[in-house]
Amino acid sequence: NIPFVWAGANPKTGFDCSGFVWYVFYKAGKTLIHLAKEQAKEGTEIPLKDARTGDLLFFGKQYESGKSKIDHVAIVYKINAKGNPVVVHCS
């Protein structure tokens, strides 16, 4: 069991959500920033129904003003029989 650690990006000491995503992508030879809201800027937004294995899902709050705040990120692990994404993440 790996603990949650704010700003963590190491399996020996712990992860936060964006650190976990950063680490998985790093091990796969991909470069990402270690901050969920910045990771969200690196890709192209797609409809949830089009999500596939390896895509990132971002979670947060949408305000009446139209502004949003991303505060969590997860990796799509697979698409289940109902067509919904199953994710891995650090909570």
Side-chain angles (χ1 to χ4, degrees), residues 12-70:
K12 293 180 182 177
T13 57
F15 292 114
D16 69 357
C17 65
S18 60
F20 174 73
V21 169
W22 176 89
Y23 182 81
V24 170
F25 274 64
Y26 169 77
K27 293 304 262 185
K30 306 290 181 184
T31 303
L32 283 179
I33 294 172
H34 177 176
L35 188 59
K37 69 180 183 178
E38 296 301 321
Q39 290 172 348
K41 295 176 185 177
E42 292 190 35
T44 302
E45 187 173 343
I46 61 170
L48 182 59
K49 67 179 181 57
D50 294 337
R52 297 292 174 252
T53 299
D55 286 344
L56 302 181
L57 295 183
F58 296 92
F59 302 85
K61 297 176 184 172
Q62 184 77 34
Y63 299 99
E64 286 184 27
S65 66
K67 287 190 163 196
S68 61
K69 178 185 177 198
I70 292 172

